[in-house]
Amino acid sequence: DYATVLAVLWTEIPWVYPAILLLAFGFAGLQMVPFSIVPDAINFAIGAGEKKEGAFFGVVTFVQKLGWALGMLLTGAILNWAGYVEPAKAFTAEAQADVLQGAIVLQSPGAVLAISLLFTLLPMTFGLLGILSLSHYKVDRKALRERIEQNNAAQEAA
């Protein structure tokens, strides 16, 4: 039950709780930043009278889905290459009850290393690349306000 799991985590590896909290903030930013940038990018990029919101959100959605698909493909390929053993395939059909009762499937050292890298180093690398790419994002409130005023002036002149 959950209370037992929480008690074991608290006594054996209490550092997991702050790690989960940091992970939650990271995932919140991962979800929030792209969708907070898109409206600003739309306002900054479009000229007077242009309506391209659908195209912007279409590209964002496509890139997000492509990233998920490539990430899953890469993860599966790396785990397969590293010798990961699926628990359901490690036992015969008669022994499936043991798996459901918590039997442990030991992974090879290569599979453990691959899992560790896939869930630590790889996300950290992509996160740092994302931060570096955001450092080139030069739309601030002042630039956005000036662009909106330019678009409004162009609309009034037309």
Side-chain angles (χ1 to χ4, degrees):
D1 73 23
Y2 290 116
T4 305
V5 171
L6 293 174
V8 169
L9 288 175
W10 184 257
T11 57
E12 299 295 324
I13 47 173
W15 56 265
V16 78
Y17 290 103
I20 290 171
L21 184 65
L22 288 172
L23 196 62
F25 282 117
F27 279 119
L30 179 72
Q31 293 298 315
M32 188 175 63
V33 169
F35 290 105
S36 63
I37 289 175
V38 172
D40 291 343
I42 291 169
N43 284 330
F44 193 80
I46 62 174
E50 294 180 359
K51 296 290 184 187
K52 295 185 180 178
E53 294 88 346
F56 273 85
F57 278 102
V59 169
V60 169
T61 303
F62 172 74
V63 170
Q64 189 177 38
K65 288 179 185 285
L66 182 65
W68 279 105
L70 292 176
M72 286 186 269
L73 177 69
L74 181 65
T75 299
I78 290 172
L79 288 177
N80 185 43
W81 174 77
Y84 176 79
V85 178
E86 292 181 57
K89 291 184 178 178
F91 300 99
T92 63
E94 296 82 30
Q96 286 299 314
D98 292 339
V99 173
L100 296 174
Q101 292 175 359
I104 296 173
V105 176
L106 296 178
Q107 298 294 337
S108 68
V112 172
L113 177 64
I115 292 167
S116 299
L117 293 177
L118 281 170
F119 291 96
T120 57
L121 187 62
L122 196 63
M124 183 179 69
T125 301
F126 282 119
L128 290 174
L129 289 172
I131 290 170
L132 288 174
S133 70
L134 284 176
S135 68
H136 299 292
Y137 183 72
K138 302 296 183 198
V139 176
D140 58 5
R141 289 184 187 265
K142 182 181 175 189
L144 185 58
R145 189 177 303 117
E146 289 173 2
R147 181 64 176 201
I148 290 171
E149 287 172 3
Q150 289 173 355
N151 287 344
N152 290 341
Q155 266 184 333
E156 289 173 7

